[in-house]
């Protein structure tokens, strides 16, 4: 009877890592496919290049770490081999830190695109730039997480005998310094992600507040906000915020345990095991954010919200000031100052996905005027869009 109860308990315990492995692998594969079949403009953006990088990272982490965990439940002596234990510890260190690094990079990309568009354009942040930055993240994190194998810290089998990690309760100065440094770097990435997300959301809310405070009708306010925020940009912010919440919530407990094991007198193996299990849930949840928050769903939600708002107010729009330049009225005969447009280009925040939409709304004569002005700005796709939105808005085209 005791043997039967023990086998039943072992079966329940091994079912959890198998379920987590299947969920993480299948979910990330679906997410990568969804991201790969999206429109060409979306696939070429820096933000979604980073999103794909995070999905691939989660998939690799799941496929490399989970089989070792499952093998440990089948045979308890697997991680007793020091080389395998060090490799398992490296996987947990590397993929935990790399996920936080990519999330922070995604937040930084949106911050530059929305709050510092001139710097974003000057640095040439595009798909190639994002790929190079992902490579940099991988190389630096591989080197940093290989330091325990080089003797800077010791990887040990934890009390539950199911996972290996660096010794978080060591009193050796070098090993203690590495453990605290790992926790500090992770904490800085978490804080940086939070601050950048707050800055991005705050900038968007401030833009909306300034738009709403103008003395115009509801219909014109709705048109202005529609010009300032596109479906693509809204989707990017939603994906960023939701992914950040999931990654930070899953990573924070392990960081807390790293510091707690150094500064608290009594060890708590149960809390350590719970923290690593929570961190293991992250690759399972991340891909479903990309899948559920795909652009087609956002289009439907935005169209429903616009349809409901249009039924509430049927008042005709009155003459109003320009969206981006309040001193310029929406009059097709209004003369605009090109120099002031060049000085204010950093205030324009749009996505390259809407270029065709804006171009299709121009008359032939106005489109030719705009094209001549854009030739002075170079051939960058995103910069061309900013000039389209800026000049067409001032000329009363939109």
């Amino acid at each position: 009877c005791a043997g039967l109860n023990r086998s039943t308990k072992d079966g329940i315990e091994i079912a959890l890592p198998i379920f987590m492995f299947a969920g993480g692998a299948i979910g990330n594969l679906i997410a990568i496919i969804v991201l790969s079949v999206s429109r060409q403009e979306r696939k070429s953006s820096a933000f979604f290049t980073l999103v794909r990088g995070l999905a691939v990272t989660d998939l690799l982490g799941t496929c490399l770490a989970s089989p070792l965990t499952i093998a440990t439940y089948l045979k308890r002596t697997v991680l007793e081999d020091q080389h395998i234990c060090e490799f398992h510890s490296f996987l947990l260190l590397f993929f935990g830190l790399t996920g936080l690094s990519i999330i922070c990079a995604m937040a930084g990309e949106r911050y530059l695109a929305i709050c510092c568009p001139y710097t974003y354009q000057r640095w040439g942040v595009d798909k190639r730039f994002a790929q190079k930055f992902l490579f940099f993240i991988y190389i630096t994190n591989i080197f940093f997480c290989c330091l325990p194998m080089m003797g800077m810290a010791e990887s040990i089998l934890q009390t539950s005998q199911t996972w290996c990690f660096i010794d978080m309760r060591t009193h050796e100065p070098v090993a203690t310094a590495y453990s605290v440094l790992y926790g500090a770097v992770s904490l800085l990435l978490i804080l940086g992600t939070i601050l950048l997300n707050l800055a991005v959301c705050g900038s968007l809310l401030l833009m909306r507040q300034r738009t709403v405070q103008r003395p115009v009708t509801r219909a014109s306010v709705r048109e202005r906000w529609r010009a300032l925020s596109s479906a693509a940009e809204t989707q990017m912010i939603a994906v960023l915020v939701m992914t950040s919440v999931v990654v930070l919530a899953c990573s924070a407990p392990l960081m807390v345990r790293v510091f707690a094991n150094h500064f608290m007198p009594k060890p708590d193996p149960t809390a350590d095991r719970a923290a690593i299990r929570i961190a293991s849930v992250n690759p399972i949840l991340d891909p479903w954010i990309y899948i559920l928050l795909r652009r087609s769903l956002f289009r439907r939600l935005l169209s429903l919200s616009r349809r409901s708002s249009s039924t509430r107010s049927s008042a005709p729009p009155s003459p109003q000031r320009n969206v981006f330049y309040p001193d310029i009225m929406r009059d097709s005969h209004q003369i605009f100052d090109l120099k002031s447009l060049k000085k204010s280009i950093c205030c324009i925040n749009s996505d390259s996905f809407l270029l065709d939409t804006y171009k299709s709304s121009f008359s032939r004569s106005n489109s030719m005027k705009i094209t001549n002005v854009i030739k002075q700005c170079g051939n960058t796709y995103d910069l061309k869009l900013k000039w389209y939105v800026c000049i067409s808005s001032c000329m009363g085209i939109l």
Side-chain angles (χ1 to χ4, degrees):
C1 184
L4 180 61
N5 292 335
R6 183 177 179 180
S7 62
T8 303
K9 183 179 179 180
D10 291 341
I12 295 174
E13 286 184 350
I14 198 175
L16 180 60
I18 292 176
F19 171 77
M20 295 175 69
F21 171 64
I26 295 173
N28 282 289
L29 280 174
I30 295 175
I32 292 172
I33 293 172
V34 169
L35 293 170
S36 299
V37 299
S38 58
R39 292 179 57 185
Q40 182 61 36
E41 296 90 344
R42 181 180 175 189
K43 289 192 290 185
S44 62
S45 68
F47 181 81
F48 283 101
T49 301
L50 294 173
V51 172
R52 277 198 305 273
L54 182 60
V56 172
T57 301
D58 288 339
L59 180 61
L60 288 175
T62 300
C63 293
L64 291 175
S66 294
L68 283 176
T69 305
I70 296 172
T72 302
Y73 278 96
L74 295 174
K75 187 178 180 181
R76 294 285 179 173
T77 59
V78 170
L79 292 179
E80 291 181 2
D81 186 294
Q82 185 60 27
H83 296 293
I84 298 178
C85 185
E86 288 179 350
F87 178 67
H88 192 249
S89 176
F90 166 78
L91 292 177
L92 297 181
L93 290 170
F94 172 74
F95 287 105
L97 193 62
T98 303
L100 289 175
S101 301
I102 296 177
I103 282 291
C104 190
M106 289 165 56
E109 190 273 343
R110 282 295 87 194
Y111 174 80
L112 288 177
I114 292 176
C115 301
C116 309
Y118 178 74
T119 303
Y120 186 89
Q121 189 62 44
R122 187 179 61 183
W123 288 1
V125 181
D126 54 7
K127 179 180 179 180
R128 187 177 297 273
F129 184 94
Q131 289 173 342
K132 291 179 180 178
F133 200 79
L134 282 173
F135 181 75
F136 172 77
I137 289 175
Y138 266 78
I139 292 299
T140 53
N141 286 342
I142 286 175
F143 174 76
F144 182 68
C145 296
C146 278
L147 291 178
M149 298 182 184
M150 301 176 186
M152 193 169 181
E154 183 183 4
S155 297
I156 62 172
L157 185 61
Q158 300 298 315
T159 307
S160 63
Q161 305 291 312
T162 57
W163 61 294
C164 288
F165 204 66
I166 54 175
D167 188 358
M168 296 180 285
R169 300 194 63 82
T170 182
H171 297 290
E172 185 181 348
V174 177
T176 301
Y178 177 82
S179 180
V180 174
L181 180 61
Y182 180 84
V185 170
S186 301
L187 183 61
L188 287 176
L189 290 173
I190 290 174
L191 293 177
T193 302
I194 293 174
L195 292 177
L196 289 170
N197 283 338
L198 289 176
V200 168
C201 295
S203 297
L204 293 177
L205 290 176
L206 185 61
M207 290 165 58
R208 185 180 188 279
Q209 185 178 9
R210 288 175 179 174
T211 302
V212 173
Q213 286 178 350
R214 305 212 187 278
V216 290
T217 63
R218 284 187 178 182
S220 62
V221 169
R222 188 169 58 251
E223 290 176 3
R224 287 179 178 179
W225 180 240
R226 189 178 304 172
L228 285 172
S229 59
S230 66
E233 183 172 298
T234 305
Q235 183 206 20
M236 286 184 181
I237 301 302
V239 169
L240 173 62
V241 172
M242 292 298 296
T243 307
S244 299
V245 169
V246 171
V247 172
L248 300 185
C250 293
S251 303
L254 184 59
M255 298 307 104
V256 171
R257 292 309 307 164
V258 169
F259 288 107
N261 279 303
H262 280 290
F263 301 109
M264 292 182 65
K266 293 183 179 181
D268 191 349
T270 303
D272 295 341
R273 189 182 186 186
I276 197 65
R277 281 186 170 178
I278 293 174
S280 302
V281 174
N282 177 40
I284 302 174
L285 299 180
D286 277 348
W288 295 106
I289 297 175
Y290 323 140
I291 295 169
L292 296 177
L293 297 183
R294 60 189 185 274
R295 195 177 174 193
S296 59
L297 178 61
F298 254 85
R299 282 177 176 173
R300 294 173 186 174
L301 293 177
L302 287 178
S303 62
L304 288 175
S305 64
R306 289 172 183 172
R307 197 177 303 168
S308 61
S309 61
S310 62
T311 55
R312 293 195 201 110
S313 175
S314 58
S318 61
Q320 57 191 31
R321 295 180 181 272
N322 184 268
V323 176
F324 303 106
Y325 303 92
D327 296 331
I328 302 178
M329 299 296 292
R330 291 191 61 168
D331 186 355
S332 59
H333 302 288
Q334 177 70 39
I335 299 176
F336 64 91
D337 183 8
L338 183 58
K339 292 183 179 180
S340 65
L341 294 182
K342 290 183 178 180
K343 292 180 181 179
S344 305
I345 190 172
C346 292
C347 300
I348 309 302
N349 298 292
S350 300
D351 285 288
S352 57
F353 311 130
L354 298 180
L355 179 58
D356 295 334
T357 304
Y358 284 121
K359 288 174 66 176
S360 63
S361 65
F362 300 149
S363 64
R364 184 173 181 181
S365 59
N366 284 331
S367 181
M368 292 177 64
K369 293 178 184 177
I370 293 170
T371 303
N372 291 332
V373 175
I374 289 174
K375 289 180 180 179
Q376 305 174 24
C377 310
N379 297 320
T380 306
Y381 195 79
D382 289 340
L383 187 57
K384 284 186 178 183
L385 173 68
K386 292 178 176 63
W387 277 96
Y388 268 115
V389 178
C390 181
I391 298 170
S392 60
S393 178
C394 292
M395 294 179 66
I397 297 174
L398 294 180

